Amino acid sequence: MVEVTVTPPSSLADRSVEVLVRGLSPSQLVTVRAALTDEQGERFQARAFFRADQAGEVAPGRHAALGGSYAGVWPMGLFWFLQPDTLFRRLIKKDVAGSPFLVRLEVFDGLHLVDGPQDQPLGSCVAERWYVGPGVRRVPVRQGRVRGALFLPP
């Protein structure tokens, strides 16, 4: 059974995480895809092709992506290279304190270029990416012509 893990599973958006895929066959060619849906319902995706090592593992921080959204060793590449399905859309988080972005990581056998309804991942997991830490308070600022928000630590 293929296992996909993100460590830590819940983190701030500017913090690095470690993605690890286990349970593959040695030298197996796989596609790892990251996908999220933003608050407006727009979908963003990144994918990378990897060849599993002799232990049957893929770790983007140690193994080079052979292609896809990026190539080479990029520990956070699946998060950094997210692209919209609809052209000219931007990934923006409006409700920074209320909820995280949920990034679904999936592993597919072989080169997986196009999504189809019959495609079943070998394994998957979800990573939470928060924009505000626990206990941080958001205070709206309205003074004269100045508009903004002040984020106060606990």
Side-chain angles (χ1 to χ4, degrees):
M1 180 173 178
V2 176
E3 177 187 19
V4 183
T5 58
V6 175
T7 307
S10 181
S11 65
L12 291 174
D14 64 344
R15 303 284 188 225
S16 294
V17 295
E18 181 182 340
V19 177
L20 180 62
V21 180
R22 290 183 180 152
L24 300 168
S25 300
S27 300
Q28 182 177 355
L29 186 63
V30 294
T31 301
V32 181
R33 180 180 69 188
L36 71 82
T37 303
D38 73 2
E39 295 159 332
Q40 287 75 41
E42 290 294 329
R43 185 170 165 169
F44 292 77
Q45 297 185 71
R47 67 185 74 228
F49 313 127
F50 293 94
R51 188 165 300 282
D53 64 14
Q54 292 307 311
E57 294 182 351
V58 166
R62 295 190 321 257
H63 303 113
L66 305 174
S69 300
Y70 66 96
V73 178
W74 291 80
M76 294 294 293
L78 291 165
F79 296 90
W80 291 342
F81 291 98
L82 288 167
Q83 294 293 315
D85 285 355
T86 305
L87 292 177
F88 308 114
R89 299 293 184 175
R90 294 186 60 181
L91 183 58
I92 298 173
K93 182 76 169 140
K94 292 191 183 223
D95 180 18
V96 295
S99 64
F101 271 141
L102 300 176
V103 181
R104 182 169 186 77
L105 294 153
E106 298 175 310
V107 178
F108 296 91
D109 188 29
L111 296 178
H112 186 81
L113 299 172
V114 181
D115 300 330
Q118 74 283 1
D119 296 324
Q120 293 296 318
L122 300 173
S124 66
C125 74
V126 175
E128 291 183 356
R129 303 294 281 169
W130 289 89
Y131 282 78
V132 175
V136 172
R137 205 167 35 110
R138 182 182 188 274
V139 179
V141 174
R142 292 189 181 283
Q143 185 70 32
R145 295 186 331 189
V146 176
R147 301 288 184 263
L150 174 64
F151 292 89
L152 296 171

